[in-house]
Amino acid sequence: MSETVHLELGARSYDVLIGQGLLARAGELIAPFAKTKRVFIVTDQNVARLHRPTLVASLDAAGLRNWTITLPPGEGSKSFAGLEMLTRHLLQAGVERNDLVIAFGGGVIGDLAGLAAGLVKRGVDFVQIPTTLLAQVDSSVGGKTAIDTPEGKNLIGLFHQPRLVIADTAVLQTLPERELRAGYAEIVKIGLINDAPFFEWCAANAAALLAQAPEAEAPRQHAIRHAVAAKAAIVAADEREAGQRALLNLGHTFAHALEAHSAYDGALLHGESVAAGLSLA
Ligand code: NAD
Ligand code: GLY
């Protein structure tokens, strides 16, 4: 069963759809937003190998012409070099102002593709299809897009809200346990900010949530819906972080320093840095 969280931002409002098996329905779900019926999938090599066939089949079935641009996995793609490669590929593939970009991957692809969509032709609409736990609970929602530079993380970016977010919990079945744990940090963060009962729920359900078993589906969907609803309420009240949205950065000053120190080389995942940062904070 799928659930919907609405993020209310006036003309920039959108829905976050959460549920098992949504990827196979992506075409019909995206079609209302695809004005030209032309879509550009941005993904990484891991996600392409595991899940691109399902997405492409559903886009084809919905009559949406599609092109795929595949980047190397990892934080290194969230760079000026990655942005240049992606924006130039989009232009060479013939992207037009009313086409649609699909960010299909974890937070790296979401942040990078969202930024590219915001820049190319002065702004193309985009849809988020997050495929990591971290991206489903956090990064795909709220419209922050960015790349990293040697000066720091996420310092070059835009607010560019997606038109729709499709979080298929079934794709998490292929996610390595280490990546699941990294996503769990951003879930616990929501409990720590202002939701003691949810923090207690996390403590009681962590093992079930992180299990690589079908039984993990129900607690995962609960955690994703709860975290997204909490984030959506904060973003709706403070889209551009004039005040309370800064709560969502709990632990992140430490986390970003740790990541910058490791030069985004993958030794420390973003979610692992957040876990350490939450402890330090
Ligand atoms: P990621 O995008 O690097 O994905 C992690 C790994 O999982 C990659 O190797 C990827 O190829 C692989 N993968 C993705 N989906 C998979 C699947 N279904 N099965 C198997 N493998 C899969 O990392 P992430 O943790 O998703 O995102 C981290 C990024 O998110 C950081 O750059 C961080 O700054 C950003 N972030 C942004 C926001 C925001 O509000 N914009 C919020 C939090 C984090
Ligand atoms: N991840 C922090 C924010 O979206 O504001």
Side-chain angles (χ1 to χ4, degrees):
M1 195 190 71
S2 72
E3 301 176 85
T4 302
V5 175
H6 182 70
L7 205 170
E8 181 53 52
L9 285 171
R12 294 182 307 290
S13 299
Y14 53 94
D15 286 336
V16 181
L17 312 181
I18 304 157
Q20 197 167 16
L22 289 175
L23 188 60
R25 294 181 46 215
E28 60 174 280
L29 297 170
I30 288 169
F33 303 96
K35 296 176 208 143
T36 60
K37 295 195 179 304
R38 289 157 44 94
V39 301
F40 293 79
I41 303 165
V42 181
T43 190
D44 74 26
Q45 287 153 354
N46 295 333
V47 178
R49 189 180 75 255
L50 293 163
H51 299 294
R52 180 178 171 275
T54 308
L55 175 58
V56 167
S58 82
L59 295 173
D60 288 345
L64 301 179
R65 285 187 70 197
N66 55 86
W67 292 261
T68 302
I69 301 167
T70 307
L71 293 127
E75 190 75 27
S77 286
K78 251 182 77 172
S79 60
F80 269 119
L83 181 67
E84 178 177 9
M85 189 187 112
L86 174 54
T87 48
R88 293 191 62 200
H89 267 78
L90 285 166
L91 295 173
Q92 287 159 14
V95 70
E96 294 291 349
R97 176 71 187 78
N98 288 320
D99 293 339
L100 190 72
V101 168
I102 300 177
F104 183 45
V108 165
I109 288 297
D111 281 13
L112 178 67
L115 178 57
L119 291 172
V120 164
K121 304 266 168 136
R122 299 196 177 84
V124 175
D125 283 350
F126 85 115
V127 167
Q128 289 267 19
I129 306 185
T131 63
T132 63
L133 183 60
L134 185 140
Q136 294 193 354
V137 299
D138 190 349
S139 64
S140 64
V141 178
K144 280 188 180 176
T145 75
I147 55 170
D148 309 326
T149 65
E151 289 73 22
K153 200 167 154 54
N154 297 334
L155 296 182
I156 303 291
L158 291 171
F159 287 97
H160 186 45
Q161 299 290 348
R163 298 300 310 269
L164 177 71
V165 181
I166 302 172
D168 181 351
T169 51
V171 302
L172 302 178
Q173 285 162 15
T174 59
L175 197 64
E177 191 190 349
R178 185 178 170 198
E179 298 289 351
L180 284 171
R181 287 178 178 277
Y184 180 66
E186 300 276 20
I187 297 174
V188 172
K189 178 188 81 178
I190 292 293
L192 284 170
I193 288 173
N194 63 1
D195 193 341
F198 185 60
F199 184 80
E200 300 289 337
W201 182 92
C202 289
N205 290 279
L209 176 73
L210 296 169
Q212 276 164 320
E215 302 82 75
E217 178 62 29
R220 255 181 222 159
Q221 184 162 329
H222 174 82
I224 296 165
R225 191 197 54 71
H226 194 98
V228 166
K231 180 166 183 177
I234 290 173
V235 172
D238 179 21
E239 183 184 10
R240 294 204 161 221
E241 203 172 301
Q244 66 163 289
R245 185 165 178 170
L247 289 169
L248 294 170
N249 301 334
L250 179 63
H252 280 58
T253 306
F254 288 116
H256 289 177
L258 293 168
E259 283 180 273
H261 186 68
S262 69
Y264 318 114
D265 65 358
L268 198 56
L269 300 178
H270 175 70
E272 292 170 339
S273 311
V274 170
L278 290 173
S279 303
L280 289 164

